[in-house]
Amino acid sequence: ARSRTVGELLAPTSPFDKKCGRENWTVAFAPDGSYFAWSQGHRIVKLVPWAQCLNNFLLHGTKNVANSISTRLPRQNSDSGQKNKPCEHIIDCGDIVWSLAFGSSVPEKQSRCVNIEWHRFKFGQDQLLLATGLNNGRIKIWDVYTGKLLLNLMDHTEVVRDLTFAPDGSLILVSASRDKTLRVWDLKDDGNMMKVLRGHQNWVYGCAFSPDSSVLCSVGASKAVFLWDMDKYSMIRKLEGHHNDVVACEFSPDGALLATASYDTRVYVWDPHIGVILMEFGHLFPPPTPIFAGGANDRWVRSVSFSHDGLHIASLADDKMVRFWRIDEEYPVQVAPLNNGLCCTFSTDGSVLAAGQDGSVYFWATPRQVSSLQHLCRMAIRRVMPTSQVKNLPIPSKVVEFLCYQI
């Protein structure tokens, strides 16, 4: 089935501005669904209120030139009554933007650095931050509501390829870089760098937190997939199975599954607790043998995203296709065409998939179905129970297999 197009945000073009340098490496939705951000290529990040963006698609059809929206959105200073209304911002980051991440604060979550009494920033309940990872190794932290620069984090020596905030509201930020390291920052402690995670022998392409913020997955060149304990900052295990660089990863909403995308033409779905591959989604038929999967081909998988229903995965490959998979089916349930796509992510409510290409963004309606009561129960149990505990439950073996996503 073909996915239905919801809308598109097109980057403005100018006579001298060709496609070169307009790569859109990153798209992101705010955790509360209030904002959408993407890199327009070069140094520019666009922030738009998501609800108003959707309304514009409904009112004006799918096409939307990114710069024309501004005429229909309230300005920050238009009147005092609109102070709390979401406003769009165009942010010049000063260098090519490779990664974006939204982070929201929970005041009760204390900084991990307990010795410091005084901080420049008092992050409140409604705080929403945007982190941007740049070509020169810097990470800039912006206030989403005002578009102001808050912090400039300087420690990486190479491109900051990916960023992820801990989902628990602690404002712990992890950055993945081509300098072969991951760095852990505490934004509640004025952006203090707490830890350097070393283990990758080559570029680090991506990182993702588990839903309970206890585990971090990092992926990189040389087939690397590592899991880290974020309480002890130590490596838990390496996951082995890919045959080429691994470029993207994401946990399922219950933390029981981990999806990784690789240049070997495959998306693997793992049980991260025991390190086994549960499912394989291939983008080339027949699948390439290991020696061919390790080389260049036109089916490199660029990005993977887990839907919030825990049942669907989206992948984006160099064969000009976006695919939607069900975790219990071998073939895609929906597809959509996209040239030069580099990144994709589901909206906060899971109803839309955003994918970036050449500085623009395209949106598709996602496969929708009512989750079974069994699946909802499975997700509820797996949120609090690792695989080892599930296997020790005094229940029939078929139920254990279902809870472990093995049937």
Side-chain angles (χ1 to χ4, degrees):
R2 284 286 283 268
S3 293
R4 181 176 60 84
T5 303
V6 174
E8 51 196 53
L9 293 171
L10 303 178
T13 54
S14 53
F16 56 85
D17 186 17
K18 306 298 181 206
K19 290 287 168 89
C20 178
R22 282 244 312 270
E23 289 90 357
N24 178 351
W25 288 103
T26 178
V27 290
F29 286 94
D32 62 358
S34 59
Y35 272 91
F36 174 72
W38 79 100
S39 66
Q40 287 194 341
H42 307 301
R43 310 155 22 155
I44 304 301
V45 168
K46 192 76 182 282
L47 263 169
V48 294
W50 177 236
Q52 295 179 25
C53 201
L54 273 179
N55 285 341
N56 282 339
F57 292 151
L58 293 172
L59 289 171
H60 305 281
T62 61
K63 284 193 186 295
N64 222 323
V65 176
N67 276 3
S68 70
I69 308 175
S70 55
T71 58
R72 293 189 288 274
L73 294 185
R75 287 293 178 195
Q76 187 74 23
N77 54 6
S78 57
D79 89 58
S80 57
Q82 289 185 338
K83 273 287 193 289
N84 296 325
K85 278 196 175 181
C87 303
E88 74 167 51
H89 299 287
I90 296 173
I91 296 172
D92 185 343
C93 295
D95 205 345
I96 295 168
V97 181
W98 284 84
S99 49
L100 290 174
F102 281 98
S104 54
S105 172
V106 176
E108 302 79 62
K109 277 278 175 189
Q110 292 303 310
S111 163
R112 292 204 186 180
C113 183
V114 291
N115 303 326
I116 298 179
E117 292 296 316
W118 180 84
H119 295 292
R120 277 189 296 165
F121 301 108
K122 292 280 185 285
F123 291 115
Q125 182 71 59
D126 61 345
Q127 192 73 40
L128 187 59
L129 305 179
L130 180 71
T132 55
L134 307 181
N135 196 61
N136 58 12
R138 294 191 177 191
I139 301 163
K140 292 188 175 181
I141 311 295
W142 309 83
D143 184 316
V144 170
Y145 300 130
T146 64
K148 289 193 170 74
L149 178 65
L150 298 178
L151 288 167
N152 200 348
L153 311 179
M154 297 176 284
D155 236 45
H156 282 297
T157 57
E158 272 275 5
V159 170
V160 180
R161 192 65 187 78
D162 199 16
L163 294 164
T164 181
F165 276 97
D168 61 6
S170 61
L171 290 184
I172 298 293
L173 174 70
V174 176
S175 53
S177 170
R178 285 186 184 171
D179 65 15
K180 307 177 189 175
T181 68
L182 296 135
R183 292 173 193 259
V184 186
W185 314 81
D186 185 351
L187 297 196
K188 288 196 173 180
D189 185 20
D190 294 340
N192 178 43
M193 193 190 72
M194 303 154 58
K195 204 72 186 171
V196 181
L197 303 180
R198 301 182 193 277
H200 284 269
Q201 300 301 305
N202 219 310
W203 288 3
V204 192
Y205 277 105
C207 54
F209 268 103
S210 63
D212 65 0
S213 304
S214 67
V215 176
L216 181 85
C217 176
S218 64
V219 297
S222 311
K223 314 172 197 175
V225 183
F226 296 164
L227 294 177
W228 306 84
D229 181 322
M230 292 308 284
D231 290 323
K232 301 175 185 162
Y233 301 116
S234 60
M235 192 183 294
I236 302 170
R237 64 170 56 90
K238 299 179 184 179
L239 303 182
E240 295 183 354
H242 279 297
H243 303 296
N244 203 335
D245 294 359
V246 189
V247 293
C249 60
E250 190 161 24
F251 283 90
S252 62
D254 58 2
L257 303 174
L258 170 70
T260 56
S262 168
Y263 289 167
D264 66 10
T265 76
R266 297 172 175 93
V267 168
Y268 284 151
V269 180
W270 310 76
D271 183 326
H273 301 285
I274 56 177
V276 299
I277 297 170
L278 299 176
M279 284 152 266
E280 175 185 325
F281 298 132
H283 295 65
L284 183 62
F285 300 98
T289 58
I291 190 164
F292 291 108
N297 60 71
D298 64 348
R299 299 289 194 282
W300 280 6
V301 190
R302 294 281 181 177
S303 184
V304 67
S305 184
F306 235 113
S307 173
H308 302 266
D309 62 7
L311 282 173
H312 294 92
I313 290 172
S315 68
L316 199 152
D318 279 354
D319 62 355
K320 305 178 182 177
M321 296 291 280
V322 178
R323 292 170 174 84
F324 295 92
W325 312 79
R326 259 188 73 101
I327 59 168
D328 52 3
E329 291 185 24
E330 199 177 342
Y331 299 104
V333 290
Q334 279 182 210
V335 295
L338 181 71
N339 288 344
N340 305 329
L342 292 172
C343 55
C344 66
T345 188
F346 280 96
S347 61
T348 311
D349 66 358
S351 64
V352 172
L353 183 84
Q357 173 233 355
D358 293 335
S360 300
V361 193
Y362 298 84
F363 301 92
W364 291 276
T366 58
R368 303 291 283 181
Q369 63 188 85
V370 178
S371 298
S372 68
L373 191 55
Q374 290 137 304
H375 175 64
L376 294 173
C377 290
R378 172 168 62 182
M379 287 182 70
I381 291 168
R382 292 312 309 269
R383 277 194 173 95
V384 295
M385 271 195 177
T387 306
S388 55
Q389 288 181 18
V390 172
K391 291 195 168 176
N392 290 331
L393 291 173
I395 54 177
S397 59
K398 278 285 182 199
V399 180
V400 170
E401 285 177 11
F402 178 76
L403 290 176
C404 294
Y405 289 91
Q406 288 170 351
I407 53 173

